Amino acid sequence: MKKLFVAFGTIILLSCGSTKIVETTGTVVPPSGPEGVKVDKEKISGQPSSSINTKKFTDASRIGEIMNYLASDDLKGRDSGSEGIEIAAKYIENYLKSYNLKPYYDTYRDTISNYKKTSYNIVGMVEGSDPELKNEYILIGAHYDHIGIIKAENGDAIANGANDNASGTTSVMELARYFGTKKTNKRSLIFALFSAEEKGLVGSKHMAKNMKENNLNLYVVLNFEMTGVPMKGRDYLVYITGYHKSNLAEVSNRYANEKLVGYLRTAKDYNLFQRSDNYPFYNEFKIPSHTFCTFDFTNFPYYHRVADEVEYMNFEHMAQIVNGLVPVIEGISNSPEQEIQMK
């Protein structure tokens, strides 16, 4: 998340995050695809985080492969405009292409116009199957940048950004894989991985403005942020920011057939709705735009620190989120009417 400084016991909000286990070759490729990525299988672990019964599309092993790549030291913390984030960009591009997503623009790259360093959003799409509903768009997004090299702790200066936000990026990539291969959506789906979120939501501001200027018929925005660690003592799996601004939680739980999405009071208290990439789209379009998250200020002490490493992530929990959201996105994309409404 964008500059949310957290000291546990004391929370100060300014605005709103690995070990060397990945070797890369000249061409970056998706896991389970052509040769090019090696991961440490011993790092792929995690315990179930809830009793929610989900359709099993992805699993902890697959989630772990992507996470180990994106949050490796080789990517140097994925700072916007850096060599490290360029490696991540190529990896995501190849992933989307491998699973039959078309570029949303002329290419998968959307050059950010409002940031001094050359940076790119990576954007693919799956066209809807219905001749009328395909002209309505659902955007599913996450930021793939982080804060790069920072002040060293115990000799480590690379802020790997596993939870913030390789976790959300991985969720979006796996959802893109599902819909790119299954093509079960009547409305069109845009899968956007934003850069320069950590600089002030810069990438999503650029894209939201561009889409508004081009009169995109955007229906709803589903953003993912810091989903790598489960919450404790909750009767739901994820919360959404801006919970009371629309009926998204109610509709999501109906399609999931479980209490998948809940309300976190802390998210409202600290106005997290305005501190991730959902907000520029809400600001431009005034449509339902929310972020799915499991960071609750108590379950992860390494926000914007070098210790935000893969070893602290729960891949089973992350797989549950993806699997739980598949029927939700299918339901939202296939309903005859636009059932997600602002309150």
Side-chain angles (χ1 to χ4, degrees), residues 49-50 52 230-240 243 253 258-265 293-294 296 317:
S49 58
S50 82
I52 292 177
M231 297 175 287
K232 297 179 180 179
R234 311 283 178 182
D235 63 350
Y236 54 86
L237 186 62
V238 297
Y239 68 86
I240 56 170
Y243 182 93
N253 291 338
E258 296 280 355
K259 191 173 181 182
L260 180 72
V261 180
Y263 172 63
L264 184 72
R265 175 60 186 267
C293 185
T294 61
D296 69 358
H317 160 74

Side-chain angles (χ1 to χ4, degrees), residues 9-191:
T10 302
I11 302 175
I12 304 173
L13 185 69
L14 301 182
S15 62
C16 209
S18 165
T19 54
K20 292 184 179 179
I21 47 182
V22 176
E23 299 174 6
T24 66
T25 62
T27 301
V28 184
V29 295
S32 300
E35 295 273 343
V37 176
K38 296 180 181 179
V39 298
D40 185 347
K41 298 294 185 180
E42 292 182 1
K43 293 290 184 180
I44 300 174
S45 60
Q47 297 300 317
S49 58
S50 82
S51 60
I52 292 177
N53 294 318
T54 59
K55 180 178 179 181
K56 190 171 182 180
F57 167 68
T58 193
D59 57 29
S61 178
R62 188 171 183 94
I63 293 288
E65 288 185 47
I66 303 171
M67 286 291 293
N68 275 298
Y69 192 96
L70 291 174
S72 71
D73 281 357
D74 292 351
L75 274 62
K76 304 296 182 183
R78 306 186 311 279
D79 195 10
S80 297
S82 69
E83 293 180 2
I85 200 170
E86 173 61 18
I87 296 172
K90 289 179 180 177
Y91 177 70
I92 296 167
E93 282 180 303
N94 287 340
Y95 197 94
L96 298 182
K97 183 177 181 180
S98 294
Y99 296 111
N100 306 314
L101 278 82
K102 299 177 181 178
Y104 178 73
Y105 298 101
D106 291 337
T107 71
Y108 292 104
R109 296 198 178 206
D110 171 36
T111 304
I112 297 173
S113 62
N114 52 343
Y115 184 58
K116 59 185 178 180
K117 293 184 179 180
T118 303
S119 301
Y120 308 96
N121 298 320
I122 307 299
V123 194
M125 69 169 292
V126 180
E127 186 176 17
S129 61
D130 186 273
E132 293 185 5
L133 292 179
K134 71 177 183 180
N135 298 312
E136 300 175 9
Y137 290 81
I138 297 169
L139 190 148
I140 300 160
H143 74 91
Y144 73 108
D145 67 305
H146 195 49
I147 58 175
I149 307 299
I150 62 175
K151 184 178 179 180
E153 294 183 37
N154 301 316
D156 182 7
I158 299 174
N160 299 83
N163 201 20
D164 184 15
N165 187 33
S167 63
T169 299
T170 298
S171 297
V172 172
M173 289 170 67
E174 281 293 82
L175 288 167
R177 178 171 71 92
Y178 180 87
F179 287 99
T181 54
K182 305 295 185 181
K183 300 190 184 303
T184 55
N185 53 296
K186 292 182 179 180
R187 289 182 173 85
S188 294
L189 305 178
I190 298 170
F191 292 88

